[in-house]
Each structure stands twice: as C-alpha cells, then as structure tokens.
Amino acid sequence: MIDQAGKLRTMVDGSSAPELQAKQPKIYSILSGKGGVGKTSIAVNLGIALHKLGKRVLILDADIGMGNVNILLGEVVRYDILDALKTGISLRDIIVSSRYGIDIMMGGADLFGLEELDAEQQAGIHKSLGVLEEYDIIIIDNGAGISRQSLAFTILGDELILVTTPEPTAITDAYKVLKIVSLYKLKSSVKVVINQAHNQENADETFEKLYHTSKEFLKLKLERAGSIFSDSRVNRAVMDQVPFVVKYPTSLACKGVDAMARGMLNGESGIERVDALSRLGNRILRIFG
Ligand SMILES: Nc1ncnc2c1ncn2[C@@H]1O[C@H](COP(=O)(O)OP(=O)(O)O)[C@@H](O)[C@H]1O
Ligand SMILES: [Mg+2]
C-alpha cells in the first residue's frame, strides 16, 4: 500500500503545475459502510441539484468494476481513467457531458493498485489534470466500505460525506468507517446523510445514534448534511434511467436532495478553500509514509 501511495503522490505532485494552482474545485468524497444505501443515487441527484444552483459539477465514479453513475444518467461512457492511463487519451476526452448539465468521469479500475506508470504516462496525466479546474465541485462516488481506493479518495477530498440508512446493519457499518477515519485522522469532521428514512423522527434518531457514539468514542465531529426519505420514485427513476430530481421534482426525495445542495453551498463561504489536489501528497505521506 505504501508503494502505491508513493506512485499516487508522484502522479498528483504534478498538480503543483502552475495551471492547477489558479483555482481548485471543491471535492466531496461519498462513502458508506454497507452497500446499497444510496451513494450513487445521491451523488448523481445531488450533482444535478448543485448544477441547478449554478455550479459546474463533475461526478467521478470510483466504484471499482461496479461503476453505475452512467446508468443512472442513461449515458454511454466509452472510456475510463484506466483507458486514459493505458492509451494516453487525455482526461478531458474521457469526460462525458450528460444531458442534465453535469459531467461524468468513470474510474474503471483500482487506480491506486496500478503498476508504476512510465514517465510519458505521468506527463500525460499531469498535463490533463488541469481539466479539473473547469469545475466548481467534484463528487466522488466510491464503492461500499473502505478500500485502498476509497481511503485515498477520502484523503483527497475536502469533505467526506457518509451515507447510511436507519437499518441497524447500515449504522454499524457506517460506524466502522467512522472508526477508520478517526483512527487514521483522515478528517476531523464528517458530513452524514441519512437516506431511506421513514420519517423525520426516524432520520433524527439515526443521526443521534451515530453522533453520540462518535462523540463518546471517536475524536470526530459529525455534521448533519441532510435526510432523504424512503421514496419509491427513487427506484422508479433508476428503472427509467432518468434522475429523480429531473423526473420527480416534487418528490420527497428531491426535496431532501435540494435541501442538502443548498446547505452545502451556504456552508461553503465559511469553509476555508484548500488546494486539495496539491495537498494530497502530504496527506498520503502522513498516513502511509
Ligand atoms: N431514498 C430512497 N428511497 C427509496 N429507494 C432508494 C432511496 N435511495 C436509494 N434507493 C434505492 O436503493 C438501491 C441502491 O441505491 P444506490 O444509489 O445504487 O446505492 P449505493 O450506491 O450505495 O450502492 C437502488 O435500487 C435505489 O433505487
Ligand atoms: Mg453505488
């Protein structure tokens, strides 16, 4: 893991190139303990809600081998980051602009488990990283649990958004993720979304459980990022491959996501802007080095 982190560091050290220092997108990394809690649905619909509020948004699908951001959006994506690394296509050319105003980039592989890149490949990546400047917000949709990749993306992100449902198994698994975040000091605060809540009380209770346990046992501040109610239209939208914020704008789920997007932007002015990409090397060093 240390070697791979070193390679990543080399790759991202290229972000100290002048063009990347000018402006940085804010990076949100979405995680969960248990699978199927709604990370991808939230990533996609939240992205569209933020776009409606005037932000330029890129969703990076980082669910290794199981990426489905494109399916929820009904878009065909031909190339992923692995293809870009292998063939020298630039990152700009693998990004697909969806019909809903947000862009998507598919990870495709465990990027942190790749063999050493040769100098030419590294140079290509450095050069094309500048494309990320075009965005205000990058949302990283990870696979479930903590993998080498999701860990790295958690470090890379400015903010960690943890999704759980009220199910006891989902809460227990969410807590395990929080434990790792706390143990490795990946973040000092985590934003929590309660998804598939039956009602407001159910969402509040779920958050409280995580909040109190984390306060007592972990050095971690949990912030409430939103609640999204269980809503059959979320599933219907998946079947139709049209995001629910587009197809069902009056649904409860849409209201929850809209509120979350507004909350993120309201909090934005108070948050120190950091150059996440160029700080990545240092953070990786601290954890793996
Ligand atoms: N708020 C919700 N209400 C009802 N069903 C939901 C809700 N959020 C997600 N789902 C359903 O849960 C399933 C898993 O969602 P998905 O976003 O793929 O989760 P993950 O990315 O965490 O694995 C999908 O079938 C989706 O329709
Ligand atoms: Mg998913």
Side-chain angles (χ1 to χ4, degrees), residues 36 38-41 61 63 66-69 141-144:
K39 289 179 300 301
T40 305
S41 304
D61 190 329
D63 192 351
M66 309 264 271
N68 50 12
V69 164
D141 180 29
N142 292 290

Side-chain angles (χ1 to χ4, degrees), residues 35-41 68 195-196 228-231 234-235 238:
V37 294
K39 289 179 300 301
T40 305
S41 304
N68 50 12
N195 189 29
Q196 302 183 35
I228 301 165
F229 293 159
S230 181
D231 187 332
V234 174
N235 223 341
V238 175

Side-chain angles (χ1 to χ4, degrees), residues 119 154 187 205 210 230 246 278:
T154 299
K187 290 277 171 279
E205 274 173 14
L210 267 180
S230 181
V246 174
S278 64

Side-chain angles (χ1 to χ4, degrees), residues 123-182:
I125 290 289
H126 290 175
K127 219 171 130 200
S128 62
L129 269 173
V131 70
L132 302 179
E133 272 179 64
E134 291 170 14
Y135 298 97
D136 299 308
I137 292 173
I138 297 177
I139 299 174
I140 303 174
D141 180 29
N142 292 290
I146 293 265
S147 63
R148 176 176 48 198
Q149 173 144 301
S150 64
L151 193 65
F153 279 128
T154 299
I155 304 161
L156 176 109
D158 296 302
E159 301 272 0
L160 169 55
I161 299 179
L162 180 71
V163 180
T164 184
T165 69
E167 265 191 353
T169 44
I171 300 175
T172 311
D173 290 353
Y175 182 71
K176 287 178 196 160
V177 171
L178 291 173
K179 240 167 117 173
I180 292 171
V181 172
S182 167

Side-chain angles (χ1 to χ4, degrees), residues 73-204:
L73 286 160
E75 299 289 351
V76 176
V77 179
R78 216 173 291 276
Y79 301 113
D80 57 35
I81 296 180
L82 186 61
D83 297 321
L85 290 172
K86 280 199 291 205
T87 64
I89 314 170
S90 79
L91 291 183
R92 184 185 299 277
D93 290 333
I94 65 164
I95 292 174
V96 169
S97 296
S98 76
R99 68 200 82 176
Y100 307 109
I102 58 170
D103 290 357
I104 46 181
M105 181 153 79
M106 305 295 284
D110 177 3
L111 301 170
F112 303 91
L114 298 174
E115 293 304 309
E116 284 294 335
L117 303 176
D118 64 33
E120 200 179 325
Q121 287 170 318
Q122 282 184 25
I125 290 289
H126 290 175
K127 219 171 130 200
S128 62
L129 269 173
V131 70
L132 302 179
E133 272 179 64
E134 291 170 14
Y135 298 97
D136 299 308
I137 292 173
I138 297 177
I139 299 174
I140 303 174
D141 180 29
N142 292 290
I146 293 265
S147 63
R148 176 176 48 198
Q149 173 144 301
S150 64
L151 193 65
F153 279 128
T154 299
I155 304 161
L156 176 109
D158 296 302
E159 301 272 0
L160 169 55
I161 299 179
L162 180 71
V163 180
T164 184
T165 69
E167 265 191 353
T169 44
I171 300 175
T172 311
D173 290 353
Y175 182 71
K176 287 178 196 160
V177 171
L178 291 173
K179 240 167 117 173
I180 292 171
V181 172
S182 167
L183 184 68
Y184 288 99
K185 298 187 173 57
L186 303 183
K187 290 277 171 279
S188 57
S189 71
V190 176
K191 293 188 184 302
V192 177
V193 185
I194 311 299
N195 189 29
Q196 302 183 35
H198 305 306
N199 50 45
Q200 193 57 51
E201 197 186 8
N202 183 224
D204 293 346

